[in-house]
Amino acid sequence: MSEPFPPTSRTRVVREANRAVYDREAIYQILDEAFVCHVGFTSGGQPFVIPTMFARVGDAIFFHGSAASRMLRNLSAGVRVCVTVTLVDALVLARSIFHHSMNYRSVMVLGTATLIEDRGEKLEALRVISDNLIHGRWDEVRQPTEQELKATAVMKVPIKEASAKIRTGPPKDDTEDYDLPIWAGVLPLITRAQQPVIDPAMRMKADLPASVKKYGRG
Ligand SMILES: Cc1cc2nc3c(=O)[nH]c(=O)nc-3n(C[C@H](O)[C@H](O)[C@H](O)COP(=O)(O)OP(=O)(O)OC[C@H]3O[C@@H](n4cnc5c(N)ncnc54)[C@H](O)[C@@H]3O)c2cc1C
């Protein structure tokens, strides 16, 4: 077991507390398996939750976007955020509709997002976000120009307050419902790549790159 995130008054799981996980390594494993997070923040009293790609490096989460986007404009000021990541592993099909559920692994990180100003750190963060999406692609393609870099804002959220919630296993039905002749169980779900589809605008022949050939998740 790695050093846990001590649960705070804000991150202690109350509902279904038996599903709570505060172990750092377990939390990082969930973050690293995902490539989309949801960033929640309030602006002018209105909550917004923005789905975005991300990567974890060490004890921080990095995400990027257009410097002109509302999310990045708001967060550049050093705004408090709630970042969540969800992996759905299975549908849990019970005998009653009430007890239907999902097997999942989710993480919630509470923290403050800050803008990365340093050029080197920004480039490295962009590389790891790209790598988290499809490993090796960064080195196969044209690198960002100064103008593209300027148009891109990269944010960092240090991971200090975090919790995970994990559900596994079969459905849990009411005792009397186990006598019902209704199929119950779990339907596992996975995310996997299909056959690559070449861009119809390709002007020349090009071999399938290694990053695409080797692509795999989980
Ligand atoms: C795919 C998926 C589907 C779900 N579907 C439902 C649903 O239909 N209905 C429903 O009520 N709940 C659902 N949940 C659980 C839901 O995410 C919340 O845990 C639950 O609603 C309790 O919320 P709360 O704020 O009352 O929890 P509390 O236990 O009061 O939350 C306290 C703290 O616990 C931590 N925490 C709570 N939930 C999570 C979480 N999911 N992941 C990581 N940390 C967490 C946070 O730090 C939070 O601040 C689902 C979860 C997942 C991942």
Side-chain angles (χ1 to χ4, degrees):
M1 291 263 282
S2 59
E3 189 200 336
F5 288 102
T8 66
S9 59
R10 307 194 302 171
T11 57
R12 184 179 300 282
V13 177
V14 179
R15 284 205 52 217
E16 310 270 18
N18 58 313
R19 296 180 185 167
V21 174
Y22 305 104
D23 177 61
R24 188 176 296 262
E25 203 176 298
I27 287 176
Y28 286 178
Q29 261 174 27
I30 297 170
L31 292 176
D32 293 351
E33 199 175 316
F35 52 97
V36 173
C37 70
H38 286 77
V39 181
F41 59 95
T42 55
S43 172
Q46 170 64 51
F48 294 92
V49 179
I50 311 283
T52 190
M53 60 182 96
F54 81 104
R56 175 195 71 88
V57 184
D59 295 325
I61 283 172
F62 295 85
F63 53 89
H64 79 311
S66 158
S69 79
R70 175 173 41 205
M71 173 174 78
L72 280 309
R73 265 187 291 121
N74 271 279
L75 299 188
S76 314
V79 158
R80 286 193 293 165
V81 293
C82 174
V83 181
T84 60
V85 161
T86 308
L87 301 171
V88 175
D89 294 322
L91 301 183
V92 177
L93 307 171
R95 290 155 185 83
S96 68
I97 197 68
F98 181 80
H99 284 297
H100 276 66
S101 186
M102 280 180 183
N103 282 340
Y104 59 77
R105 290 163 290 152
S106 60
V107 167
M108 196 182 287
V109 175
L110 300 175
T112 301
T114 53
L115 187 71
I116 297 183
E117 311 270 9
D118 179 78
R119 188 182 180 280
E121 199 187 347
K122 185 171 173 179
L123 259 179
E124 179 57 12
L126 288 171
R127 192 191 64 74
V128 295
I129 293 169
S130 166
D131 242 26
N132 194 36
L133 207 63
I134 174 163
H135 184 74
R137 185 67 178 161
W138 179 271
D139 294 324
E140 294 169 348
V141 297
R142 176 177 69 69
Q143 298 302 294
T145 62
E146 285 308 314
Q147 207 177 356
E148 288 169 342
L149 268 183
K150 222 171 133 190
T152 308
V154 185
M155 308 296 302
K156 176 179 183 176
V157 181
I159 311 173
K160 291 181 182 154
E161 239 184 313
S163 60
K165 207 167 162 179
I166 300 179
R167 190 204 188 279
T168 56
K172 292 184 181 70
D173 271 302
D174 294 337
T175 312
E176 60 275 20
D177 286 347
Y178 283 88
D179 290 329
L180 294 171
I182 297 169
W183 189 93
V186 299
L187 186 59
L189 300 173
I190 52 166
T191 301
R192 70 181 164 86
Q194 308 276 308
Q195 276 301 314
V197 179
I198 196 164
D199 181 357
M202 282 286 297
R203 291 191 181 154
M204 67 286 294
K205 265 181 88 74
D207 291 337
L208 204 60
S211 65
V212 179
K213 273 191 202 152
K214 289 190 300 195
Y215 185 86
R217 297 213 81 84

